[in-house]
Amino acid sequence: MGRTDHTPARGRDSGFLALRLPATARGAARTTRAARWAAALSVAALLGWSAVSAELHGDLRYVLGALRAGDGAGFSAAETFTHRPLFYRWFIAALDGLAFGSTGTREIVIRLAGLALCAAAGVLLHAALIRRLPRGEALLTAAMTTLALALAPRLDFLQPEWTAVLLAVVAVSAVLLIDRPWPAAAVAAVPLGLAVMMKFSTAAIALMALLVVFGTDRARAVRAAVAGAGGAVLLFLLSLAVASHEWQWVRDMPRINRTGLEAEFLRPSYLFERITTHLGDRVFVSPVLALLPGVLLLVLARVPGRRERLHRAVPALLIGLAAVGAVTVQGQWFLYHSAVLPVFAAALWGLAVARWYREFRRPPAALLTVTLLLAAWGPVSHRLPERLHGPEVGWAAAAVALGAALLDLWSVRGGSRGRGTGMFRVPVSLIALAGVACLAVTVWPGSPHQKISRADLFTTNTGYWAATEAREAEGRLLRAEIGDPDAPVLYLAFGDVVYFTGLPGQCRYPVPTFLQRVRFIEEIRELPSHDENARCLTENPAPFAVLSRSWFRPGLVDEAVRDRIAELYDCPAREEAPDRHAVLCTRR
């Protein structure tokens, strides 16, 4: 497929990089170069700061801690339980294999590896889009997609959903980049299948990738769907073949948590309240999401013809429904379950702004203003009065963004082009930094780390860093109390305790998830994985145990497990260590 020349008839300009030359060609070139360098250096500084300061999320530390403890006990990533499917365990183990040095250094290396993957996906996406879009639209869309992944909130970064989005970007790129349709579908089948295998519920993200392609080339989307389904099945069978416990864990893992498909959770009023609260909270952590309705309107408004507009609008609506459906089905309502939505919003922002420039020679000023306001609001949102902490504020921000888009459309209702003057005659790369600033909300110390209105939880990056320091100090204390750096440990604690303690486990269940979840769902004690997890206490038990009473409460687990722990280990009474999150238990 050849590249289309989308240059306006008035003369070739620099697309994304600058507006028509306002003065001499030499002066304009200098301005454009300076703007490029300013944008590039700003983005590089933000990415560098995020790599050295953001740290990894507790869920990712859980997976890393379990894999490291399992490896110390002689179990590979394929044979260690982490509440994640095989291919995700392999992915995280591969990233961890690159790391070295202290805990902080290892996290920086892992984040840098994640950023490198984002850059690679972005390059592929740009190469694919430039074959179908004007140069400026391709560049800004790919750049915003890449930065939405690279500057994703800590609670998203390298999670299964985030990884599935990254793979979906690669899949879309392959489908649109390779000339011949069936070879393109065959290549895309690998990242599509892997996206499904990240957590199975991430099949919704693979579907969203197909919907993106469908909005561009319906025949290629159908071929990619056929190939992707086959790829997912083959990868699933491969996982069963190479990991001895995978089929057992695939059957047992969904029963650890109650799903959103249970009858009591399917009441319309309950679903409406949960969905609106989840999305409203999500805007606090990812302000770019509030721009989604507005940028979608701007993109659809510039599509010529009612029929073509419908062909773009329906896939976009289905993408939103698929994202919300995946969150709803899982029933846990964690914010990272909707990691795809901020990336989708950022990509549409890039497309909308670049297309507006191409047609009107100026930015969508109202939407750009809202973008900057969201970039300023994010880092201080927790300091505002408590009445402004509710999810309705997120919805209000989305309504304002939609109103701004309507105002921009009204401003060009006559369809006139080339009206940019005055303040708008600046390099577009600088204006594009407004979108980058909105994405970069995640990196500032005062920005939200977690927001869960139903739990009255609103924490910031500063709070998370302080909690990390406390966990690190606790891990050092536990290691000092044990004394032997190679001593195996029975962990009765969540994964971040395992991560910071850093000592090997002694069975394939370093984190006793199946034992702990009996506290919430009694039927778990009937699962094969529960029995196997319990054998960690009966077959060659470790000389030490680390107990976190806030997470693992011996009085609320299976009676046989409780009695066995009491028989084997002497744990400090709660009053002996009232300020300790985790305590050391020794063999009797």
Side-chain angles (χ1 to χ4, degrees):
M1 181 180 299
R3 174 176 162 182
T4 303
D5 188 355
H6 297 271
T7 305
R10 303 184 190 201
R12 183 177 298 272
D13 61 35
S14 55
F16 162 65
L17 298 172
L19 300 179
R20 292 179 66 197
L21 301 179
T24 65
R26 182 178 301 175
R30 281 198 298 267
T31 302
T32 299
R33 282 195 298 270
R36 288 174 179 172
W37 276 106
L41 291 174
S42 298
V43 169
L46 287 170
L47 292 175
W49 170 250
S50 72
V52 301
S53 69
E55 301 181 349
L56 300 180
H57 188 259
D59 287 349
L60 187 55
R61 287 169 173 170
Y62 156 62
V63 176
L64 286 165
L67 291 176
R68 292 171 185 173
D71 181 67
F75 295 96
S76 68
E79 300 298 331
T80 301
F81 179 78
T82 67
H83 198 187
R84 293 290 185 259
L86 173 65
F87 283 95
Y88 182 74
R89 301 199 301 273
W90 272 349
F91 171 64
I92 296 301
L95 293 180
D96 196 32
L98 302 174
F100 57 87
S102 65
T103 297
T105 301
R106 293 175 74 89
E107 291 199 355
I108 291 172
V109 172
I110 290 172
R111 285 196 66 93
L112 287 173
L115 294 180
L117 292 175
C118 293
V123 169
L124 286 175
L125 182 61
H126 177 254
L129 292 180
I130 204 168
R131 298 166 66 90
R132 295 180 178 256
L133 295 173
R135 178 176 52 194
E137 294 177 22
L139 180 57
L140 190 52
T141 303
M144 288 297 290
T145 303
T146 303
L147 290 173
L149 287 165
L151 296 172
R154 178 187 302 104
L155 56 82
D156 289 343
F157 194 76
L158 294 178
Q159 290 269 33
E161 284 79 0
W162 181 95
T163 309
V165 176
L166 180 77
L167 290 164
V169 171
V170 174
V172 170
S173 304
V175 173
L176 300 180
L177 180 60
I178 299 174
D179 287 331
R180 297 174 61 188
W182 276 113
V187 172
V190 177
L192 283 174
L194 287 172
V196 174
M197 296 301 297
M198 288 300 101
K199 210 173 92 175
F200 303 133
S201 61
T202 50
I205 295 173
L207 173 61
M208 293 176 221
L210 295 172
L211 288 169
V212 170
V213 177
F214 188 85
T216 302
D217 190 323
R218 290 182 283 279
R220 283 179 176 255
V222 171
R223 291 183 176 93
V226 172
V233 170
L234 290 176
L235 289 172
F236 178 67
L237 294 176
L238 176 62
S239 71
L240 300 186
V242 302
S244 63
H245 283 63
E246 198 66 15
W247 178 239
Q248 174 183 310
W249 290 338
V250 166
R251 287 177 294 143
D252 289 354
M253 275 193 297
R255 300 177 65 180
I256 290 176
N257 297 309
R258 302 180 68 183
T259 73
L261 298 179
E262 298 181 28
E264 64 181 284
F265 299 143
L266 294 178
R267 291 177 286 107
S269 60
Y270 174 85
L271 290 176
F272 178 80
E273 188 273 335
R274 277 304 186 99
I275 290 170
T276 54
T277 299
H278 174 90
L279 295 177
D281 284 346
R282 179 82 223 199
V283 170
F284 280 83
V285 178
S286 301
V288 71
L289 180 58
L291 299 170
L292 180 54
V295 294
L296 180 58
L297 177 63
L298 290 186
V299 169
L300 293 177
R302 308 318 304 166
V303 175
R306 182 177 301 177
R307 184 182 180 87
E308 282 302 311
R309 194 175 298 126
L310 183 64
H311 286 163
R312 302 294 192 277
V314 171
L317 176 62
L318 292 176
I319 286 172
L321 291 175
V324 172
V327 176
T328 303
V329 167
Q330 293 180 79
Q332 303 303 304
W333 305 100
F334 296 135
L335 291 187
Y336 71 85
H337 288 171
S338 58
V340 64
L341 287 176
V343 180
F344 185 48
L348 286 179
W349 189 95
L351 179 60
V353 170
R355 183 163 294 175
W356 198 272
Y357 265 106
R358 182 170 63 86
E359 295 197 18
F360 301 109
R361 299 295 185 268
R362 62 182 179 86
L367 184 74
L368 193 71
T369 300
V370 174
T371 303
L372 290 170
L373 288 174
L374 287 170
W377 166 74
V380 300
S381 58
H382 72 289
R383 296 180 180 273
L384 299 177
E386 191 171 345
R387 66 179 181 276
L388 298 179
H389 290 177
E392 62 275 4
V393 174
W395 284 98
V400 171
L402 182 59
L406 289 169
L407 181 59
D408 284 321
L409 289 174
W410 178 83
S411 72
V412 295
R413 62 195 182 283
S416 60
R417 298 166 179 255
R419 298 193 301 181
T421 58
M423 66 170 288
F424 298 116
R425 300 182 67 173
V426 297
V428 180
S429 49
L430 293 183
I431 300 299
L433 284 177
V436 177
C438 194
L439 294 175
V441 164
T442 59
V443 309
W444 309 124
S447 295
H449 159 66
Q450 182 66 277
K451 177 75 168 63
I452 305 177
S453 291
R454 288 179 61 87
D456 197 25
L457 178 66
F458 194 3
T459 59
T460 65
N461 289 335
T462 300
Y464 187 80
W465 295 335
T468 292
E469 291 179 1
R471 292 287 185 270
E472 283 188 294
E474 182 178 72
R476 289 193 295 269
L477 177 59
L478 288 168
R479 289 195 301 273
E481 290 175 336
I482 292 173
D484 183 355
D486 299 316
V489 172
L490 173 70
Y491 290 101
L492 304 174
F494 188 63
D496 59 347
V497 175
V498 182
Y499 178 81
F500 286 115
T501 304
L503 296 177
Q506 196 145 319
C507 69
R508 70 174 71 247
Y509 296 89
V511 179
T513 306
F514 287 99
L515 303 184
Q516 187 262 355
R517 293 302 293 176
V518 171
R519 162 186 175 186
F520 303 102
I521 306 174
E522 290 191 5
E523 292 79 6
I524 289 177
R525 71 182 74 218
E526 301 171 4
L527 299 178
S529 297
H530 178 274
D531 292 341
E532 209 169 50
N533 197 169
R535 289 202 292 272
C536 296
L537 290 163
T538 59
E539 298 178 1
N540 191 27
F544 301 96
V546 171
L547 172 64
S548 174
R549 289 193 178 92
S550 63
W551 185 78
F552 190 96
R553 300 186 181 181
L556 298 178
V557 300
D558 183 78
E559 291 181 4
V561 171
R562 179 195 63 200
D563 294 343
R564 182 61 174 164
I565 292 172
E567 175 188 341
L568 283 174
Y569 296 103
D570 181 20
C571 299
R574 187 181 296 273
E575 54 271 16
E576 295 180 31
D579 298 327
R580 293 282 296 272
H581 173 68
V583 295
L584 180 66
C585 307
T586 55
R587 283 284 297 271
R588 293 186 184 276

